[in-house]
Amino acid sequence: MTRSMLLGAALLALVACRPAPQTAGHPAGHTGHSQNEAGTPSSVLSVHDARVVAVPPSVGDTSVFGTLHNAGPAPLRLVGVQTDAASHGMLMVTQTDPAGLTGMQDTPALTVPAGGDLTLSDTGDHLMLMGLRAPLQEGQTLTLTLTDDAGGTHTFDAPVVKP
Ligand SMILES: [Cu+2]
């Protein structure tokens, strides 16, 4: 990974996770997640304190935070997120390189440990919604669906709140 790529990611993180009144750049090379038509509902995953960060109408992307709890006996590997409110969702990790630059980048999967939690926050793993179809309104609720690597789907609601 080059330093310029990390810097780009850091700039995107600044825009997307601490929204500024300008349009966030879109990570190069990212394509939409495929949808799993055969997805089956699963109840091992519960989502607590889910929230979508309110952004100004000029900002087309936002972040989703909360706590994911896996009640099942096996790790749950999440491979996608989608919502009707955005053109596509991304799974993100936040990393600091040896030079001390911190940035986020998309990742193919986020794993919720068996019987444990994965916390989604602006300084760690989180979800992002890219290409919002309409300006977000505070107090509005979005419905999001996480897909796991076995094709299971996990749907939850998240209110839009101030960062
Ligand atoms: Cu982010």
Side-chain angles (χ1 to χ4, degrees):
M1 160 145 322
T2 67
R3 189 177 180 112
S4 64
M5 282 175 64
L6 274 175
L7 183 59
L11 290 171
L12 177 61
L14 284 175
V15 170
C17 294
R18 295 160 202 81
Q22 54 190 253
T23 301
H26 195 280
H30 183 81
T31 57
H33 293 282
S34 60
Q35 299 188 9
N36 190 326
E37 301 291 347
T40 50
S42 167
S43 61
V44 298
L45 188 76
S46 55
V47 182
H48 306 277
D49 196 25
R51 57 210 189 272
V52 178
V53 177
V55 292
S58 59
V59 177
D61 310 320
T62 190
S63 303
V64 182
F65 306 134
T67 301
L68 307 180
H69 179 72
N70 174 11
L76 186 64
R77 195 163 177 269
L78 301 170
V79 296
V81 59
Q82 61 186 86
T83 174
D84 288 344
S87 62
H88 66 282
M90 295 169 66
L91 310 175
M92 309 295 296
V93 291
T94 303
Q95 297 171 331
T96 301
D97 77 359
L101 281 173
T102 298
M104 67 174 180
Q105 61 183 103
D106 59 329
T107 183
L110 291 175
T111 299
V112 189
D117 293 338
L118 175 67
T119 299
L120 304 176
S121 74
D122 62 347
T123 55
D125 300 342
H126 58 276
L127 313 176
M128 290 201 64
L129 305 180
M130 315 301 287
L132 293 169
R133 299 191 194 282
L136 296 178
Q137 310 288 340
E138 255 185 271
Q140 173 186 7
T141 297
L142 302 190
T143 299
L144 294 90
T145 300
L146 291 160
T147 303
D148 64 45
D149 66 354
T153 57
H154 314 267
T155 296
F156 63 99
D157 291 335
V160 174
V161 301
K162 276 185 185 162

